[in-house]
Amino acid sequence: MSTPTTSFGREAAAALSRSKNEPAWLVALREEAGQLATELDLPKPEKLPLTRWTLDQYGTNRPGQSVSSVSDLPAVITALLPEENNGTLIVQHNSSVVFTQLSDELKAQGVILTSIEDAARNHEELFRKHFMTAYTKDEHKLSAVHAALWNGGVFLYVPRNVTIEAPIQALLFADDAEATFMPHILVIAESNSRVSFVEQVASSLGETASTLLHNSAVEVFAKAGAVVQYAAVHQMDNSAIDIAYRRAILDNDARIEWIIGDLHNGNSITDTKSVLKGNGSTSDSKIISVGTGSQRMSLTTQAVHFGRSTESDMITRAVMKEESTAIINGITKIEKGATKANGQQTEKVLMLSPKARGDANPILLIDEDDVKAGHAASVGQVNADQIYYLMSRGISRSEAERLIIHGFLDPVVSEIPLKGLREQLHRILERKLG
């Protein structure tokens, strides 16, 4: 059975931690988070009352079956894996990581790829220094619940001056609606390292009366001069709720590239935030989403500038169908002292139905004079002139609309670093767009 809020708290969180034989400090962290979960309020996204959502079904710990090779994974999981196999892959099935594969070459260079649970035991000092520090347990009720109940997840450590050429792949999959599914991803890229990480979240829940709560968190720490490309594609059944908070902390001259396909079929809240702490650090965020049916979505992208000569660029594009609703927020904040900072953002919403709704809210918060900042936002229908032009070239109206929509979303789709996942993303878009 799922665990209701009324029976969840400090004691339950501590008991879970002890059952996993976690270190004392982690037992205490889960215990404190469990207490906070009973005290804090839900986040309050604009025009989206979360009190109507089923956010108190946390599920029970249901680990998957560990396997020793890709061929031993369930067929429903292997079908989701891109054909490219570079020897670097981690898979979570419901409440636990069931498969990890890292090449001997990367191991020899000091790269670590393992579950968060394993990292807490075997890489405790490094893990403890970073875990739940960019996304903290006291932000709101959902962050407290995540800190108390997280499971499985991914820990990736890239040593100083190491460049990983092929993308690291992570597949997080659920097929049990009553499982606790709260993965945490922690990426630490040391000075002058380079890495691409691809996260795929999917489900196959079938007919169910239960609500799967995917309450996830991502923390990326890019040290001086490091470059991290983080791509994510989320696509689960409409009986699931997708909660995804992503955070990146950037040191001097570090760079983060977010490439996000929020293509979930149910209600979702996503918040992708870069903190440009170091001088010369840069953040580039590209996010797409497609709303269908009666979906309700809150999509927030943020860049907070502390360092001097920092740059951020945020592009969000959403396509809304039927009776779906999306609230899209872009927030650029330039703190006092962040001289020569440059923050730009663009939010565009394409409406395909008179009953759909999309709000684009660009927000600039500037506390420094010697900076550049700009924003652009638009909400509208498919351009009639573009359709007319394509039809004049012998293309049908429906095909013309399809080409325009795919072109609208291409800035993100084209940058997914795995060919197989790009093709899969195209299939998801075709299915969602009809």
Side-chain angles (χ1 to χ4, degrees):
M1 290 182 61
S2 296
T3 306
T5 304
T6 52
S7 65
F8 171 72
R10 189 181 192 95
E11 294 78 14
L16 172 67
S17 190
R18 292 190 184 97
S19 73
K20 295 173 178 284
N21 296 315
E22 292 176 345
W25 71 269
L26 196 49
V27 175
L29 187 150
R30 285 198 194 259
E31 192 174 31
E32 292 164 6
Q35 181 63 37
L36 286 170
T38 67
E39 299 170 352
L40 295 176
D41 293 329
L42 290 167
K44 295 180 172 61
E46 184 181 355
K47 302 175 185 176
L48 207 63
L50 298 185
T51 52
R52 300 177 185 176
W53 294 19
T54 306
L55 296 172
D56 61 350
Q57 292 188 9
Y58 306 137
T60 54
N61 186 47
R62 295 188 177 175
Q65 179 64 49
S66 296
V67 299
S68 57
S69 69
V70 171
S71 60
D72 293 330
L73 289 166
V76 68
I77 292 179
T78 56
L80 293 168
L81 295 174
E83 292 182 4
E84 300 98 321
N85 184 4
N86 57 33
T88 309
L89 170 68
I90 186 165
V91 178
Q92 175 167 342
H93 186 188
N94 294 322
S95 301
S96 68
V97 168
V98 297
F99 179 74
T100 305
Q101 183 172 276
L102 181 66
S103 69
D104 291 338
E105 179 185 356
L106 291 179
K107 288 178 184 177
Q109 293 180 71
V111 175
I112 301 169
L113 178 67
T114 188
S115 71
I116 285 286
E117 293 174 348
D118 177 76
R121 289 188 293 267
N122 297 318
H123 307 282
E124 185 174 352
E125 183 178 352
L126 187 61
F127 175 79
R128 186 174 183 177
K129 181 180 178 181
H130 296 88
F131 179 68
M132 293 299 298
T133 59
Y135 179 58
T136 60
K137 63 182 182 294
D138 56 1
E139 290 194 24
H140 43 65
K141 187 182 188 72
L142 293 177
S143 69
V145 168
H146 175 84
L149 296 179
W150 62 268
N151 55 27
V154 181
F155 178 83
L156 172 63
Y157 175 74
V158 186
R160 182 185 181 95
N161 296 326
V162 170
T163 295
I164 301 178
E165 298 291 347
I168 307 288
Q169 302 178 54
L171 173 58
L172 312 172
F173 177 80
D175 57 7
D176 185 343
E178 296 187 351
T180 303
F181 188 48
M182 301 193 187
H184 190 102
I185 296 176
L186 176 55
V187 177
I188 304 168
E190 294 286 9
S191 300
N192 300 312
S193 62
R194 299 180 68 93
V195 63
S196 291
F197 184 89
V198 179
E199 169 207 353
Q200 186 179 4
V201 178
S203 69
S204 179
L205 301 174
E207 294 295 325
T208 177
S210 299
T211 299
L212 176 73
L213 177 61
H214 173 248
N215 184 349
S216 67
V218 174
E219 296 181 292
V220 176
F221 295 87
K223 309 298 184 177
V227 178
V228 178
Q229 183 184 64
Y230 193 105
V233 177
H234 286 204
Q235 201 249 343
M236 294 183 290
D237 301 84
N238 59 13
S239 58
I241 294 175
D242 186 22
I243 308 293
Y245 282 85
R246 309 178 183 104
R247 300 286 185 262
I249 307 295
L250 309 178
D251 288 351
N252 290 345
D253 300 314
R255 177 173 175 81
I256 179 75
E257 298 174 10
W258 298 107
I259 306 167
I260 309 294
D262 281 323
L263 300 173
H264 178 46
N265 290 315
N267 292 344
S268 63
I269 301 173
T270 71
D271 188 317
T272 305
K273 180 179 182 179
S274 298
V275 180
L276 294 93
K277 187 177 68 172
N279 298 334
S281 55
T282 59
S283 171
D284 184 86
S285 305
K286 293 184 175 70
I287 297 172
I288 61 169
S289 185
V290 177
T292 58
S294 59
Q295 269 186 279
R296 298 292 180 265
M297 301 183 292
S298 173
L299 311 174
T300 300
T301 312
Q302 304 185 59
V304 183
H305 296 249
F306 288 95
R308 298 186 300 276
S309 300
T310 50
E311 294 189 5
S312 67
D313 191 23
M314 304 185 296
I315 296 174
T316 304
R317 297 194 174 186
V319 176
M320 309 306 296
K321 292 182 61 182
E322 294 149 357
E323 298 180 8
S324 57
T325 296
I327 310 298
I328 299 170
N329 301 307
I331 303 171
T332 303
K333 191 172 194 311
I334 301 181
E335 302 285 356
K336 185 69 176 175
T339 54
K340 306 297 183 183
N342 183 4
Q344 305 294 325
Q345 58 169 290
T346 304
E347 293 82 38
K348 293 185 177 182
V349 184
L350 196 59
M351 311 295 288
L352 302 185
S353 164
K355 293 184 178 180
R357 177 178 173 180
D359 289 353
N361 305 309
I363 300 168
L364 300 178
L365 304 170
I366 313 298
D367 290 329
E368 180 58 63
D369 295 329
D370 187 14
V371 300
K372 294 180 182 179
H375 65 78
S378 65
V379 178
Q381 299 177 333
V382 176
N383 188 297
D385 290 340
Q386 290 178 331
I387 291 177
Y388 177 80
Y389 174 81
L390 291 172
M391 290 178 67
S392 72
R393 298 299 187 269
I395 297 172
S396 69
R397 183 180 186 88
S398 60
E399 179 64 11
E401 288 184 347
R402 191 187 73 83
L403 289 172
I404 291 168
I405 293 165
H406 279 274
F408 177 75
L409 298 173
D410 189 66
V412 170
V413 177
S414 62
E415 293 203 22
I416 295 291
L418 284 171
K419 179 184 176 183
L421 190 57
R422 281 197 304 275
E423 294 171 351
Q424 198 174 112
L425 190 54
H426 278 295
R427 290 193 293 271
I428 293 171
L429 289 173
E430 292 285 356
R431 191 161 58 244
K432 291 208 74 172
L433 293 169

